[in-house]
Amino acid sequence: MAAIPDSPVDTNTAVRGLESTFVDELGVLTVVWQGAEVPDPTLLVLNEQLAMSLGSDAATLRSDDGIAVLSGAAAPAESQPVAMAYAGHQFGGYAPLLGDGRALLLGELVDTDGRRVDLHLKARGPLRSPGAATDSRWSARCCANTW
């Protein structure tokens, strides 16, 4: 896997309307990145109600282009995928720099109720966030448990 500036990721229009306010405002907490290559990705489940509320078409998300975006093999055309860092409490104490790169932020969408939501990919392989590096691949069972 390589950072996007050195190795451009394929893009497509399966997911439209992404914004990047987090990166625009807090880019210092991110590293531009792309997900690991996925050989023969398969869509296991799709929450059609959620897709509709985010302005996405379920049939498009089930297409090869949609599966490429959902697997991290391609980024939406408006997207600048990043690994993130953040601060918080962990193990009973304050940690000024957290973020193991487990989630890859593609951008934000505004849902039908006007709420801004993040579109993340989880478990996209070895990701890097500022201050940490990890291989975050998960089994389908682990990912389903977080859904």
Side-chain angles (χ1 to χ4, degrees):
M1 169 155 49
I4 287 178
D6 297 330
S7 178
V9 67
D10 291 335
T11 61
N12 68 49
T13 58
V15 176
R16 297 177 182 264
L18 281 170
E19 299 177 12
S20 60
T21 58
F22 183 88
V23 173
D24 295 343
E25 299 287 328
L26 301 168
V28 69
L29 297 177
T30 67
V31 173
V32 177
W33 211 260
Q34 72 184 47
E37 189 172 326
V38 180
D40 195 28
T42 303
L43 182 64
L44 301 177
V45 64
L46 178 66
N47 184 330
E48 291 185 22
Q49 184 178 2
L50 177 61
M52 188 181 344
S53 75
L54 296 175
S56 294
D57 176 64
T60 301
L61 293 176
R62 284 193 174 89
S63 72
D64 289 344
D65 281 349
I67 292 170
V69 167
L70 296 175
S71 70
E78 304 90 6
S79 177
Q80 181 181 351
V82 295
M84 299 169 51
Y86 51 93
H89 286 80
Q90 185 177 40
F91 308 118
Y94 177 72
L97 184 60
L98 294 171
D100 62 2
R102 190 173 301 267
L104 187 64
L105 175 64
L106 295 182
E108 305 102 34
L109 294 165
V110 177
D111 71 10
T112 54
D113 293 327
R115 293 177 297 214
R116 180 174 303 278
V117 296
D118 291 342
L119 180 57
H120 285 270
L121 300 178
K122 291 186 85 170
R124 285 306 315 121
L127 299 178
R128 180 173 174 263
S129 65
T134 187
D135 182 346
S136 65
R137 289 195 174 126
W138 286 3
S139 69
R141 180 179 178 190
C142 290
C143 290
N145 286 340
T146 67
W147 185 44

